[in-house]
Amino acid sequence: MARGKLRIYLGAAPGVGKTYAMLSEAHRRVERGTDCVVAFVEHHGRPRTEVMLQGLEEIPRRELDYRGTAFTEMDIDAVLVRRPQVAMVDELPHTNVPGSRNAKRWQDVEELLAAGIDVVSTVNIQHLESLGDVVESITGVRQQETVPDEVVRRADQIELVDMAPEALRRRMAHGNIYKPDKVDAALSNYFRPGNLTALRELALLWVADRVDAYLTEYRSAHNVSTIWGSRERIVVGLTGGPEGRTLIRRAARLAEKGAGGEVLALYISRSDGLTSASPKELAVQRTLVEDLGGTFHQVVGDDIPVALLDFARGVNATQIVLGVSRRKSWQYAFGPGVGATVARGSGPDLDVHLITHDEAGKGRGLPVAKGARLGRSRLIWGWLVGVLGPVLFTFLLTSAIPDVGLANDMLLFLTLTVAAALLGGLHPALASAVVGSLLLNWYFTPPVHTFTIADPENIVAIAIFIGVAVSVASVVDLAARRTDQAARLRAESEILSFLAGNVLRGETGLEALLERVRETFGMESAAMLERAGETNPWTCAGSVGPRPCQDPDDADVDVPVGDHMSLVLSGRVLPAADRRVLAAFAAQAAVVLDRRRLQQEADQAKELAEGNRIRTALLAAVSHDLRTPLAGIKAAVTSLRSDDVEWSEQDQAELLAAIEEGADRLDHLVGNLLDMSRLQTGTVTPIIRESDLDEVVPMALGGVPEDGVELDIPETLPMVHVDRGLLERAVANVVENAVKYSPREERVLVSASAIADRVEVRVVDRGPGVHDEAKDRIFEPFQRYGDSPRGNGVGLGLAVARGFTEAMGGTLSAEDTPGGGLTMVLSVPTAPQRRPEQRCST
């Protein structure tokens, strides 16, 4: 029996239309005469989805009783007995009610497929098992119902049901997905624009990977070796030279011209590990290609053109970007070059671009350190072994071990030549070869004690000895030099990479940088000196180590930085080869010193400007906002004390109420000023405790009219880790601000919900709202947005609320209310869950 086929409609979020698309497919198949039934569809009360069920045969559901409650699930036995051609099964990740045959609905679907029944189902991207952690980090909600990725990947067809986040939110606001009483909460939590955009990107990328994998499988199964240009994949061939940056940027521009273009930078290293590429330059190019959205790859291959073409065809690339050769004209005598060879072997399905650059025709070699630093002791031993070694060998062979044969004598002398090359380099080895050949000719080649050679074979043997000795000495010396150069370049690249990283991050202080200089070069002390002018004395801006130098003339190493700065080291004199890296350290030290001073000046200027602004605003507040309630109190008191007027009891009550109202307003304004002062001076010390939000928030609403606020705080919320007093004051200020700007006929909604390890309090008003560019500015001290319709103040309420919230480890931000208005989101951490107490038995 042939296995049934599985078709899946994949969506980014609930409400995009997966079930609707599945039922539309059912109607199309029924119209074509296909035996199609609805095995299980959940329309969630959505009218348009419910209408789509009309005209389709539905398999009755099976009823199950669980803990006294009746549930309905798909009746798999009834579907198998009915045995349709196609079964519609909604919500593939669904968990069945305990007592069902299978724990998961996708297991029911597997049974239907095994019975030869085709199945059409639906899945949301957040229900894929591998994406559970990613979705939780985006939405704050952990999906409990999941389906293994492999089940979905095995589907014969996967169709993405896509919808823009804005369109989905409009559909939600119109009541087409959830009931009206759940719309505001859904739009404010799971269905935020950022959440929907991230989920949509996940769905698109997952489907793109699935299509890519299917294309690769098809090409492999059908032995397709030609390149299919399904999308532009551009391979950039890098040599490690500076022209690589130009090639990467040009390839990125080519990729942008086509939809879904991809850039793959490739560096091919030889199998022997020897390379002339700069590690630092390769690191820079790797960072550049990754910043441009591409990927960096490194493969091993001795035949560069073949390795490049194999890689390009392996990744189904459509274009190769190479730089014009850096070889000089005479070097083309050794071959046509990589570019021409790749272009000749690429074939008609792979385009090759040769890009001109500044390094073209300047030579293939990259600058490397000249000379190998073998050290004085190694050079001395090399010369001793190369010159005195053959003499000692001759004495031993002529006196203690005679007649070992000319061939063995040559091998022994060759060993000394190799040893001289290993110790002292090329020149001691060449000297050893010359001395050894002369001694072999004088003492061991007939006729002995003459420089003539009677046997022509011995002439050839001596010539071979000299040639082998020189060749071996050259190879050994070259290897030793390359090893020393590689070690030095690696050390320099690590040092420069460290400096570059610190420049980008701005992390290293001056003393830490000087300590790195001292450790790197093995010096006793390091110091950064500066002076104001040519005639001014030097002053020490920073130093490490004992007895740092106070004048460049007293230092062992002096690296000037400009006219008035100098990096000085004491301990030993460094060779000239080290000054290149040391100059980089000196330049970085100067940058760090300048940055530190600029930061200090900026901090001082900021403090002065902030203090001046607050003082100006405070004077304005005292001159206007604080005088207004005082003027009302003064007028009421003066009226009451007047002997010219007889006030009725009602008039006296009104005047006393005015005095009380003015005093309350004055107390509120002064309280905010004091709170702002505490925040500015950093004297707010929260006392963090576990608290119930449904106890704190109602206490914060005492200063607002009861009919102006609608409270929705579930009792099932987790405990929060806050300072009750600070939280109450923060919520009170936010709610008062919302009531002030909300229309009289609209009530302010105060709701709360738990998201991951935090609890959010949302204060929703239907007022005029705030533009995006002003959402952060309204939290600054002495800021009032627009004209206050009722009441007045000094503009400190939201600033104090945010300060108190952040002091407790929370956040306070502003969002647009769907349909108009402003929503304040106050987020605080939940209390850590207590571990159950362990009982001890005695």
Side-chain angles (χ1 to χ4, degrees):
M1 179 185 300
R3 179 181 171 86
K5 295 183 178 180
L6 175 62
R7 178 173 184 171
I8 290 179
Y9 286 95
L10 178 69
V16 296
K18 303 180 301 301
T19 304
Y20 190 93
M22 181 183 71
L23 295 177
S24 299
E25 176 66 18
H27 280 285
R28 285 193 293 271
R29 298 201 182 200
V30 169
E31 291 173 359
R32 294 197 302 264
T34 304
D35 182 15
C36 180
V37 301
V38 175
F40 187 95
V41 166
E42 186 62 65
H43 55 74
H44 297 289
R46 299 167 187 168
R48 297 188 178 184
T49 306
E50 191 173 0
V51 169
M52 292 298 294
L53 287 170
Q54 298 178 6
L56 297 176
E57 178 186 351
E58 292 190 63
I59 302 295
R61 301 183 184 183
R62 180 186 177 189
E63 291 191 2
L64 295 170
D65 181 76
Y66 179 66
R67 294 183 177 178
T69 305
F71 297 90
T72 60
E73 294 287 2
M74 181 177 68
D75 193 341
I76 185 173
D77 293 323
V79 178
L80 292 174
V81 171
R82 171 64 175 77
R83 198 172 185 79
Q85 288 180 282
V86 182
M88 301 290 157
V89 183
D90 203 8
E91 298 180 355
L92 187 64
H94 173 73
T95 301
N96 293 328
V97 175
S100 303
R101 179 189 303 181
N102 298 308
K104 291 284 190 177
R105 184 166 293 162
W106 63 265
Q107 295 171 329
D108 296 338
V109 169
E110 287 293 321
E111 285 197 36
L112 298 180
L113 295 173
I117 301 173
D118 294 346
V119 176
V120 180
S121 188
T122 62
V123 175
N124 278 331
I125 192 68
Q126 64 264 31
H127 292 294
L128 292 178
E129 203 166 71
S130 65
L131 299 178
D133 294 339
V134 178
V135 172
E136 183 179 11
S137 66
I138 294 171
T139 64
V141 179
R142 182 67 180 186
Q143 299 295 332
Q144 301 300 323
E145 294 187 334
T146 60
V147 58
D149 290 48
E150 187 58 30
V151 173
V152 182
R153 289 185 181 277
R154 286 202 307 264
D156 299 275
Q157 297 180 53
I158 299 177
E159 183 172 336
L160 179 66
V161 183
D162 189 29
M163 178 174 287
E166 295 78 8
L168 182 57
R169 284 173 59 85
R170 283 197 301 270
R171 178 181 288 185
M172 173 71 72
H174 293 159
N176 295 332
I177 301 176
Y178 292 155
K179 294 181 180 179
D181 59 338
K182 297 182 178 180
V183 169
D184 284 340
L187 289 174
S188 301
N189 292 281
Y190 193 87
F191 285 82
R192 297 176 182 175
N195 290 359
L196 296 178
T197 302
L199 292 174
R200 186 188 189 198
E201 184 181 21
L202 279 178
L204 292 170
L205 291 174
W206 196 91
V207 173
D209 289 342
R210 175 70 176 81
V211 172
D212 232 10
Y214 176 77
L215 180 61
T216 302
E217 292 173 4
Y218 182 87
R219 284 166 48 86
S220 177
H222 293 77
N223 296 321
V224 178
S225 58
T226 58
I227 292 175
W228 288 0
S230 54
R231 61 172 172 169
E232 293 295 340
R233 280 192 179 89
I234 304 174
V235 175
V236 185
L238 303 178
T239 64
E243 75 280 359
R245 307 182 200 181
T246 302
L247 304 184
I248 292 171
R249 294 189 180 97
R250 184 61 179 274
R253 291 197 296 271
L254 291 174
E256 290 175 355
K257 295 180 180 179
E262 184 179 357
V263 176
L264 301 91
L266 175 66
Y267 174 72
I268 302 173
S269 58
R270 297 187 180 277
S271 58
D272 55 11
L274 297 178
T275 176
S276 59
S278 167
K280 175 188 174 183
E281 184 62 32
L282 283 178
V284 171
Q285 293 174 15
R286 175 194 290 271
T287 303
L288 175 61
V289 71
E290 291 175 351
D291 289 343
L292 293 175
T295 55
F296 184 90
H297 305 267
Q298 184 168 345
V299 300
V300 176
D302 292 323
D303 193 327
I304 304 298
V306 172
L308 183 59
L309 290 171
D310 287 346
F311 178 84
R313 292 194 171 96
V315 299
N316 197 30
T318 57
Q319 302 180 54
I320 295 178
V321 173
L322 299 173
V324 173
S325 178
R326 288 186 282 114
R327 298 192 303 176
K328 295 184 180 297
S329 301
W330 60 269
Q331 291 177 313
Y332 283 97
F334 298 101
V338 173
T341 305
V342 171
R344 188 169 58 246
S346 62
D349 53 356
L350 188 58
D351 297 335
V352 179
H353 301 266
L354 292 179
I355 308 300
T356 58
H357 51 85
D358 295 337
E359 303 298 320
K362 292 185 178 180
R364 298 177 60 180
L366 292 173
V368 296
K370 296 181 179 180
R373 296 174 57 196
L374 299 177
R376 180 176 299 179
S377 61
R378 286 189 58 179
L379 288 173
I380 293 175
W381 278 104
W383 282 104
L384 290 176
V385 172
V387 176
L388 297 182
V391 176
L392 294 176
F393 259 40
T394 302
F395 175 77
L396 292 175
L397 292 174
T398 54
S399 60
I401 316 174
D403 300 330
V404 296
L406 181 60
N408 292 328
D409 295 334
M410 289 184 177
L411 290 175
L412 292 173
F413 278 91
L414 184 61
T415 302
L416 287 175
T417 302
V418 173
L422 290 173
L423 290 172
L426 180 62
H427 295 96
L430 293 178
S432 177
V434 172
V435 173
S437 61
L438 293 175
L439 293 175
L440 282 172
N441 189 3
W442 183 267
Y443 288 101
F444 304 102
T445 304
V448 296
H449 304 305
T450 64
F451 286 108
T452 59
I453 303 174
D455 191 348
E457 293 182 359
N458 293 336
I459 298 177
V460 174
I462 293 293
I464 292 175
F465 167 77
I466 296 174
V468 170
V470 172
S471 301
V472 170
S474 301
V475 171
V476 172
D477 177 74
L478 179 62
R481 290 175 181 271
R482 286 290 178 88
T483 300
D484 183 80
Q485 292 168 4
R488 179 176 180 81
L489 290 175
R490 178 179 179 182
E492 289 185 2
S493 66
E494 290 178 354
I495 293 171
L496 295 175
S497 175
F498 164 79
L499 289 176
N502 289 330
V503 168
L504 294 176
R505 295 188 297 269
E507 294 177 351
T508 301
L510 180 61
E511 286 71 18
L513 187 65
L514 293 176
E515 181 63 27
R516 183 63 184 261
V517 174
R518 192 178 69 85
E519 293 177 354
T520 300
F521 296 97
M523 307 300 285
E524 292 182 0
S525 64
M528 192 70 184
L529 305 181
E530 62 176 347
R531 59 181 177 180
E534 295 292 340
T535 59
N536 296 90
W538 290 94
T539 59
C540 182
S543 64
V544 293
R547 298 181 300 278
C549 297
Q550 302 298 322
D551 192 287
D553 295 334
D554 301 332
D556 294 316
V557 179
D558 171 27
V559 182
V561 185
D563 296 331
H564 306 301
M565 287 189 185
S566 183
L567 175 64
V568 295
L569 306 174
S570 62
R572 62 188 179 92
V573 178
L574 294 178
D578 287 337
R579 296 188 68 88
R580 181 167 64 95
V581 178
L582 195 57
F585 269 111
Q588 173 65 1
V591 170
V592 170
L593 186 59
D594 290 340
R595 184 192 298 127
R596 186 171 69 181
R597 288 182 173 165
L598 290 174
Q599 185 63 44
Q600 292 173 351
E601 293 176 0
D603 292 341
Q604 293 174 358
K606 183 178 179 181
E607 290 178 1
L608 293 174
E610 183 68 17
N612 185 54
R613 187 180 69 83
I614 291 178
R615 281 192 294 271
T616 303
L618 182 58
L619 288 173
V622 171
S623 64
H624 180 268
D625 295 290
L626 293 181
R627 291 184 64 184
T628 301
L630 283 174
I633 294 172
K634 176 68 174 177
V637 171
T638 301
S639 299
L640 287 173
R641 296 188 62 184
S642 174
D643 298 331
D644 300 335
V645 182
E646 286 289 337
W647 301 102
S648 65
E649 292 184 359
Q650 182 179 358
D651 292 336
Q652 291 179 5
E654 291 180 357
L655 290 172
L656 290 174
I659 294 173
E660 184 178 10
E661 181 183 356
D664 289 340
R665 287 169 53 192
L666 188 61
D667 178 70
H668 181 73
L669 293 175
V670 172
N672 274 336
L673 286 172
L674 293 176
D675 289 338
M676 198 67 230
S677 175
R678 292 167 61 199
L679 289 171
Q680 292 288 338
T681 57
T683 58
V684 175
T685 305
I687 303 174
I688 305 298
R689 296 175 181 173
E690 292 186 3
S691 304
D692 279 323
L693 205 61
D694 58 349
E695 296 178 359
V696 178
V697 174
M699 296 294 294
L701 306 182
V704 296
E706 294 183 1
D707 59 347
V709 178
E710 178 184 350
L711 195 59
D712 181 16
I713 308 294
E715 296 181 357
T716 57
L717 288 175
M719 303 280 282
V720 293
H721 222 214
V722 296
D723 182 306
R724 291 175 62 99
L726 296 184
L727 179 61
E728 182 180 330
R729 189 62 181 273
V731 173
N733 283 2
V734 173
V735 173
E736 288 175 6
N737 183 79
V739 171
K740 181 191 302 181
Y741 285 94
S742 189
R744 291 182 180 273
E745 65 277 5
E746 294 285 350
R747 302 176 68 184
V748 172
L749 173 64
V750 181
S751 63
S753 59
I755 300 178
D757 59 346
R758 305 185 75 80
V759 171
E760 286 188 351
V761 178
R762 309 182 73 84
V763 181
V764 183
D765 69 60
R766 296 292 178 178
V770 176
H771 294 299
D772 291 339
E773 60 272 12
K775 282 187 172 66
D776 283 333
R777 195 166 65 247
I778 61 177
F779 293 102
E780 296 178 3
F782 304 105
Q783 294 291 324
R784 284 182 291 186
Y785 184 74
D787 296 327
S788 177
R790 296 196 301 275
N792 49 33
V794 294
L796 286 176
L798 293 182
V800 170
R802 172 174 274 189
F804 283 174
T805 304
E806 292 178 348
M808 297 183 293
T811 59
L812 179 61
S813 59
E815 298 179 356
D816 291 328
T817 301
L822 190 68
T823 297
M824 290 291 179
V825 183
L826 192 153
S827 175
V828 292
T830 58
Q833 296 182 355
R834 297 179 180 178
R835 297 183 179 179
E837 296 181 1
Q838 298 179 352
R839 299 181 180 270
C840 299
S841 58
T842 57

